[in-house]
Amino acid sequence: MNVATLLRAFCEAVESRNGEAFAKLFTEDGVYHDVFYGAFAGRAKIAAMIDDWFYRTATDFRWVMHDPVSDGTMLYARYTFSYRSTLPEAKGVRAMFEGVAIMTLSDGKIARYHEVANTAPAFVDLNFAPERIAKIVAKQGAALKARPEMQQHLG
C-alpha cells in the first residue's frame, strides 16, 4: 500500500467509525499512542479506541493528512483534525487542532503510531475553563517527555 492510500484509508476509517478497517492498517502487534487517551496495543484495542473511545464524547470527525514524507520505514505527516464535541460545556461546537503523525512502518502496515499535537486551541473551542486547559496540557507534556522513543523527535 502506498503512503497516499494508507493515509486516506487511515482518515476515512476514523471518519466513518470503522475501527476494524482502521486496525487492519496496523501490524498484529501494532501500537497507537493517542495524544489524549494513551497507548492502545494490538488490533482489537486499536479498533475499540476508534469505535468506543473516539466516539464516546465526539462525532463528525474530519482528519486530513498534509505533506507526507516517508522512507518506507518511517512516515511523517502534518495533519488537521476536528470533531463535534458532545460534552455538555462544548454546546455542540466543532473543535480543531493540528499535529504531526509519526509512524513506524513494517511490510506496508503501521507498527507504531505517535503524534505531537497542539491541542490547546481545541480546548478553547470547547469552552473549557483556563485552569482545566492548563492541567490537560501539562499532563500531555509530561506524558510526552516520559516516552523514551519520542526523545529523538523532541530535540
Side-chain angles (χ1 to χ4, degrees):
M1 181 179 302
N2 73 38
V3 168
T5 303
L6 174 68
L7 293 176
R8 190 169 36 258
F10 184 100
C11 295
E12 287 175 359
V14 172
E15 292 174 355
S16 64
R17 194 177 187 171
N18 189 340
E20 182 180 349
F22 187 80
K24 285 181 180 177
L25 299 171
F26 286 77
T27 59
E28 289 287 338
D29 60 347
V31 180
Y32 184 107
H33 291 272
D34 185 74
V35 71
F36 293 113
Y37 302 120
F40 292 80
R43 287 183 176 164
K45 288 185 179 174
I46 291 170
M49 177 193 66
I50 298 302
D51 293 338
D52 301 330
W53 289 82
F54 273 35
Y55 281 82
R56 184 172 291 169
T57 59
T59 188
D60 193 20
F61 288 86
R62 296 291 174 262
W63 200 337
V64 180
M65 298 286 184
H66 309 277
D67 307 319
V69 176
S70 179
D71 66 0
T73 56
M74 291 297 299
L75 168 59
Y76 298 86
R78 288 184 315 104
Y79 68 78
T80 51
F81 183 80
S82 70
Y83 57 91
R84 191 161 311 282
S85 177
T86 59
L87 293 170
E89 65 264 43
K91 299 180 171 104
V93 45
R94 176 168 288 284
M96 191 281 291
F97 61 90
E98 297 175 298
V100 175
I102 305 162
M103 300 178 214
T104 304
L105 304 175
S106 178
D107 295 323
K109 301 239 182 239
I110 304 165
R112 297 183 78 74
Y113 173 92
H114 301 277
E115 58 192 348
V116 178
N118 180 10
T119 58
F123 298 130
V124 172
D125 292 343
L126 295 171
N127 297 312
F128 283 10
E131 302 79 24
R132 186 172 178 192
I133 295 170
K135 215 173 178 181
I136 292 167
V137 171
K139 182 179 175 184
Q140 289 175 343
L144 189 60
K145 286 180 184 176
R147 293 194 339 228
E149 70 275 11
M150 293 303 293
Q151 295 310 306
Q152 65 181 328
H153 305 290
L154 297 174

